[in-house]
Amino acid sequence: MFRNNYDNDAVTFSPQGRIFQVEYAQEAVKQGSVVVGLVNKTHSVLVGLKRNAEELSSYQKKIIEVDSHMGIAIAGLASDARVVSNFMKQQSLSSRMTYGRPIPVDRIVTQIADRAQTNTQQYGKRPYGVGLLVAGVDEAGPHLFEFQPSGMIHEMLACAIGARSQMARTYLERHLDEIESSSRDELITHGLRALKETLSQDKELTVDNTSVGVVGLAGEGAKGKIESFKLYEGQQLLPLLETVEQQDSGETKEGEGMEVDS
Amino acid sequence: MTSIGTGYDLSNSVFSPDGRNFQVEYAVKAVENGGTAIGIRCKDGVVLAVEKIITSKLLKPGANKRIATVDRHVGIVSAGLVPDGRHFVSRARDEASSWRGVYKGPIPVSALSNRLGSYVQAYTLYSSVRPFGVTAIVGGWDSEAELAVDGQVGTGPNAGSGGKVEGAKAGGPGLYMIEPSGLYWGYYGAATGKGRQAAKAELEKLDLGSENLSLLDAVKEAARIIYVAHEDSKDKEFELEMSWISSLDGPTKGRHEEVPKELLEEAEKAAKRALEGEDEEEDEGTKSNEGERMQE
Amino acid sequence: MNHFPELWGRPRDDVYGPYNSSYLKSTGPKTHTQSPAVTGTSVVAVKFNGGVAIAADNLASYGSLSRFTDVKRLRVFGESAVVGFSGDVSDMQYIDRLLESIDIRENYSTHGNLLNAKNLHTYLSKVFYKRRSDFNPLWNHILVAGFDGDKKPFLSSADLLGTTYSGPHLATGFGAHLAVPILRRLFPEEKPIEEITKEDAVSALRECLKVLWYRDARSLDKYSIAIITEDGVELNEDQKLEEQSWAFAESIKGYGAQVV
């Protein structure tokens, strides 16, 4: 039987100029549960679907605060994500220490991407098996970046990675204009609705399986220039999920409210 | 492909019996699928341009820059695997900065290209690494002004420094292209990536060797050439990114900068007009449906 | 005859006593970096409504010798920050190169997020502290002038020990003793910065430089001045204190060989 000989390590090109090990690593991202990210003119939002290994186990963390102006959402190998996020935390702290400023988002994203690239060009290393969405604010405003194990990074208006994320992307593409001009709260709702699109028939968004992260520029009258990264989990999610529910029932017919018990 | 199944193409740094390093040739394949990148060298500056295929509507327009600044006076654009391109640029920045550390002045474009050529070549020598999946175009301007003595705190003597020849020409434009093998040449006009054949044909028509083209015209030509090169993959949308480096008395004062928005838009408009005038009878959709998105 | 060449030409031990070579110790750590060689004197700076003005004379002294008389001790960083150096001139040149490499690094990406004067001051103070902790100090006292993250005028000092402080007007070197009292009188604490005009600030600096020229022996009447506003940095490096005169010195009594 034919065997692909070009996929044993990350330092071998296939005759077409592809690196299979890197492509396989991208598959690991697709195995992870979905995360969605989106920006408007003032805020950057991350939304994630948490999975639990079994009924009685806890849910896997999907969104991590890196610094007060930045957070990440992960899809793929959580242990790799921890390595990357620890590095990001160190770099953020070091920037605050040496320059007294929060690290610019594109700068730190490029740093992790450069590390990821190294893992694709040296024998004995493997590419990271995790994809990230990085949401943050800096002097240039709110940002959302997508990071891939290949070391590819893209600044996005909206993005979704992980299992069944295509549905979310379709939703985001369809609502791109609304998202751009939305308010902070509408942005979160769009994120949750995009996430909802990816669910299979028997699943629902609950306070247990959902995670929301928000960071942005501070509104008028607020002290400080930024609204620090805030993670919404558990009961804090109730009003957010209710808004989604109201919108959906408004669109179809007024059904019974979603069960949000755990 | 004759290389497949021979076993000589499975590792870098291995010669086949007829003296080829297949892994390097495969790396070139990665470049050949990347978005077209070009550079034009003229008497008063250098222009770099790249075609960025828009892979998703969700990408932020105008962000995701692909032309990098290396030192004040040098820029690099590359085609192929984008992360490898960043690695290449990061090395270039280190070289430029270490040159300053030793020689207390900006690195000449020729010297930078030489060092990068050596660096890339080293990645063809060992089985523990793979070659760079990029072909990079390095453009820059070597200052024609006399360099201040490092750390010059005063004005110094009024006479020139030792060995100075009155009226001697110094500095000027530099344009080099470095391939995955480490091979590099200096160019008047360089092209790489998917549309390189069409781009090369257009560059040759410009007669750059006679140095009659002005920098401003080169900006417009560069835009047009990217548009021409894009004809083969017309079904995909793209974004044009351009940067330039002029002489010290030119618009960028010897610095590598993005081409200003107004000029870029003007050049794109002219490029579109030029294309509409032409006959567009090509139906060769070279489609490759690779799942990965490392090259753009 | 003595057959040991290393002993030739030495003062005779029997006449002058044995040579005390204790201070020529060849062992132990290097200490020459712990004292300056060629130095610049005071830097003075004042915040005003909408910016900062900073000035320093153009002299570099070698001990008490006026060694270089056209030295520029104000260095511009980026669009709107200026660093004024006193202390060792070669260390200043080192820091200048450091600043240049940072400037290049900061400009790799083009959009926003550039270091402001406050960031720069934080960084330089860490550099000073690191070096002094290595017993290899950068022998300078600097003032950093420009704007902070909120676009407000910024003025802070950092010295060879890594000590930092800030204020509406600052001075280094002799200026800390001679110029600061003048500035405090001109701009008392209760007077808000918003009431100080650019012209007030500049003439105050000039006044300080005059006093320094008369009273600090390692100073010069040629100076540089930089004015930092929202519009950028306006730097003049070939200024002169006009019509200064030592004629009055003749009438001073009580010093030297005067008889009457």
Side-chain angles (χ1 to χ4, degrees), chain B residues 218-239:
Chain B
V219 168
K220 295 193 176 142
E221 290 297 340
R224 190 181 61 79
I225 291 170
I226 292 290
Y227 270 82
V228 170
H230 182 71
E231 285 288 281
D232 282 344
S233 36
K234 239 179 161 177
D235 49 323
K236 295 172 191 149
E237 279 188 61
F238 78 104
E239 212 173 71

Side-chain angles (χ1 to χ4, degrees), chain A residues 129-153:
Chain A
V130 70
L132 305 181
L133 296 180
V134 183
V137 274
D138 56 31
E139 282 180 14
H143 299 279
L144 174 71
F145 283 89
E146 178 195 7
F147 160 88
Q148 289 286 335
S150 59
M152 276 298 267
I153 42 170

Side-chain angles (χ1 to χ4, degrees), chain B residues 194 230-235 281-287:
Chain B
K194 200 173 224 160
H230 182 71
E231 285 288 281
D232 282 344
S233 36
K234 239 179 161 177
D235 49 323
E281 291 284 280
E282 247 130 294
D283 45 311
E284 233 292 274
T286 40
K287 261 163 231 145

